[in-house]
Amino acid sequence: MAEHEDEHVRVAVIGSGFGGLGAAVRLRREGITDFVVLERADSVGGTWRDNSYPGCACDVPSHLYSFSFAPNPEWPRTFSGQQHIRSYLEQVADTFGLRPHLRFGSEVKKAAWNAERLCWEIETSGGNLSADVVVSATGPLSDPKIPAVKGLDTFPGKVFHSARWDHDYDLAGKRVAMVGTGASAIQIVPSIQPQVARLTLFQRTPPWVMPRVDRAISGLERSLHRAVPATTQLRRGLLWGIRELQVQAFTKRPDELGFVEKIAKRNMARAVKDPALRAKLTPDYRIGCKRILLSSAYYPALARDNVDVVASGLSEIRGSTVVAADGTETEVDAIIFGTGFHVTDMPIAERVVGADGRTLAETWKNGMAALRGATAAGFPNCMTVIGPNTGLGNSSMILMIESQLNYMADYLRQLDVLGAGTALDARQSAVDDWNRKVQERMKRTVWNTGGCTSWYLDAAGRNTTVWPGTTTEFRRATRRVDLAEYEVVRAPKASRTPGTGATGAPAPAPAASRPAEVQA
């Protein structure tokens, strides 16, 4: 691990997507400049850098899918494409002076807690360093998941995941297998259908697809947003409010979603006239149980003559022949996997080693759990942005990220007050209490009762990804750190030197702040 002469910083942020850049901006706004952002790639953007497949776009309205402190009056469409979102993140990095803090080509190989020095020792592909605090903002949609398919390694054609699109490979005139029917696939299918010779979609479970009401934002609208910034705030507020009102249907009264199902079925019926194909595409679970997808082009593409829908998952590959679980055989030249990411088993967790020598992955072997979605017991001064049970089913993740950044900022303030040679470690009892209340609320949500198996659930069937409430509730719960939920860890006397921890101020006795809880 890192030696004492290696670089030391107050905060090391891992990842430069929305979470990492947001953390960096918040650190600077808090007056903290002694930090680095460790990024494995050569540019910022996170999932919006990695996902560059044809048709890639956001399914959250642009003005809501952006930072409240960095409004963008220039969004070109109501639902922006990948290139515009990535450009926005580059702009954030420039506007807020983040470039000097960015360390590209610095993939974190290992981060281990040093109990003597009360700091994290970090090995990266770009060198070693140590930090008082680690903020992991790698995100759940960063590491692609490709299923273990028998014979895949012998396939003579082209194979790639949607998040690692091969732009050098020409799909024109090719026979292509698209595996998966998630958010990426429904954008890829209509984008490549016109150019391929034949497209075979392997559908294990049909998704619910709502119409995508997308349009160009007029020049007049953009001019108004530039001239009167309050209009951008108003637009954002309306988008947020509508989604807050929808939450009850997802979390408490799933039966109310029946009306939404009718809209989705009409969306299908308009484009798909073949009853047999409609039957294949009609889900048998409650809408909302899996992520609701938005597209007005997906169903029309599936109805084209050069598209086949196989209502079964990919089972085996024999040479150039792909075989479905139902026995369907198809000859293809290329296989594209739209099979999602390592969400409930995030690879970064295997690289973070806590106070007792166990990795975060080992701690989470029975399911991810973190206090207020941020901190795990046994991992002092380590926070996760977009941690367990912070995901959303109907609104913008940027709202959740900003709430977690509020928590991060107060966490650092508490360390300042406690003084040098101290750290904060979440109490196991607090983590358990928080998680118990979250899971209790989860029982009546559509994600747990809707009759589906989704990526929201871990291997044991527990929902460790989604927040069972409104964004307002989460913001209230993460407004400040409750010291009663933490143990104050102090360095051995021989290791206490000014500047090692947050400040050189004497440490007062910890006092509990308000007891914020998950409201039932």
Side-chain angles (χ1 to χ4, degrees), residues 218-282:
S218 69
L220 179 61
E221 289 174 274
R222 296 199 297 273
S223 296
L224 178 62
H225 291 329
R226 282 194 303 270
V228 187
T231 60
T232 305
Q233 297 171 0
L234 176 61
R235 187 172 193 155
R236 179 186 177 88
L238 289 172
L239 292 168
W240 165 79
I242 291 169
R243 281 156 180 76
E244 288 289 272
L245 292 173
Q246 296 171 347
V247 171
Q248 295 256 14
F250 287 84
T251 60
K252 295 181 180 180
R253 294 189 288 273
D255 288 344
E256 293 181 357
L257 293 166
F259 171 72
V260 185
E261 287 184 4
K262 292 179 181 178
I263 298 175
K265 287 180 177 178
R266 280 201 296 268
N267 183 41
M268 183 197 304
R270 277 195 294 267
V272 181
K273 305 304 180 184
D274 178 7
L277 180 56
R278 276 206 308 273
K280 285 184 182 180
L281 299 176
T282 302

Side-chain angles (χ1 to χ4, degrees), residues 23 44 47 65 104 130 223 231 437-438 469:
V44 302
T47 193
Y65 199 78
F104 296 122
S130 59
S223 296
T231 60
K437 291 173 180 174
V438 168

Side-chain angles (χ1 to χ4, degrees), residues 117-424:
R117 297 177 59 212
L118 286 195
C119 70
W120 286 92
E121 296 182 336
I122 307 167
E123 292 179 0
T124 84
S125 55
N128 298 342
L129 71 154
S130 59
D132 295 332
V133 177
V134 165
V135 177
S136 177
T138 59
L141 306 182
S142 56
D143 291 279
K145 178 185 288 186
I146 293 181
V149 180
K150 182 181 178 182
L152 179 60
D153 56 342
T154 66
F155 180 67
K158 191 71 179 178
V159 179
F160 52 88
H161 191 278
S162 59
R164 300 292 184 267
W165 195 270
D166 188 339
H167 291 277
D168 294 329
Y169 184 74
D170 187 4
L171 291 172
K174 300 294 196 304
R175 300 166 300 176
V176 179
M178 180 77 226
V179 183
T181 53
S184 300
I186 70 155
Q187 295 179 341
I188 293 170
V189 166
S191 298
I192 68 173
Q193 175 271 320
Q195 57 180 303
V196 303
R198 187 139 214 97
L199 178 61
T200 304
L201 177 69
F202 287 83
Q203 171 192 270
R204 196 168 53 178
T205 308
W208 283 105
V209 183
M210 294 284 285
R212 184 182 180 86
V213 188
D214 186 26
R215 65 173 179 83
I217 297 177
S218 69
L220 179 61
E221 289 174 274
R222 296 199 297 273
S223 296
L224 178 62
H225 291 329
R226 282 194 303 270
V228 187
T231 60
T232 305
Q233 297 171 0
L234 176 61
R235 187 172 193 155
R236 179 186 177 88
L238 289 172
L239 292 168
W240 165 79
I242 291 169
R243 281 156 180 76
E244 288 289 272
L245 292 173
Q246 296 171 347
V247 171
Q248 295 256 14
F250 287 84
T251 60
K252 295 181 180 180
R253 294 189 288 273
D255 288 344
E256 293 181 357
L257 293 166
F259 171 72
V260 185
E261 287 184 4
K262 292 179 181 178
I263 298 175
K265 287 180 177 178
R266 280 201 296 268
N267 183 41
M268 183 197 304
R270 277 195 294 267
V272 181
K273 305 304 180 184
D274 178 7
L277 180 56
R278 276 206 308 273
K280 285 184 182 180
L281 299 176
T282 302
D284 61 358
Y285 56 88
R286 173 65 77 195
I287 194 169
C289 183
K290 294 168 73 77
R291 184 174 174 182
I292 299 175
L293 308 181
L294 302 180
S295 178
S296 297
Y298 178 64
Y299 288 136
L302 295 184
R304 298 294 184 185
D305 292 338
N306 67 331
V307 178
D308 294 311
V309 177
V310 177
S312 180
L314 182 61
S315 174
E316 185 182 353
I317 296 172
R318 304 173 192 149
S320 297
T321 303
V322 290
V323 185
D326 65 0
T328 302
E329 297 185 4
T330 309
E331 290 280 327
V332 298
D333 304 303
I335 302 172
I336 302 171
F337 285 97
T339 44
F341 300 84
H342 290 275
V343 176
T344 60
D345 56 343
M346 292 186 288
I348 189 65
E350 299 173 356
R351 307 178 187 190
V352 179
V353 182
D356 63 358
R358 291 192 304 164
T359 65
L360 189 55
E362 290 171 322
T363 300
W364 283 349
K365 65 181 179 180
N366 294 321
M368 298 190 302
L371 178 59
R372 304 183 189 278
T375 53
F379 296 82
N381 286 9
C382 181
M383 307 191 70
T384 301
V385 178
I386 314 183
N389 291 113
T390 61
L392 295 175
N394 76 311
S395 192
S396 172
M397 278 305 301
I398 313 306
L399 301 170
M400 302 296 278
I401 289 173
E402 290 195 29
S403 292
Q404 290 200 288
L405 298 184
N406 290 341
Y407 196 72
M408 177 197 75
D410 196 53
Y411 191 100
L412 292 166
R413 292 187 207 113
Q414 297 291 351
L415 287 176
D416 273 342
V417 172
L418 290 168
T422 59
L424 289 174

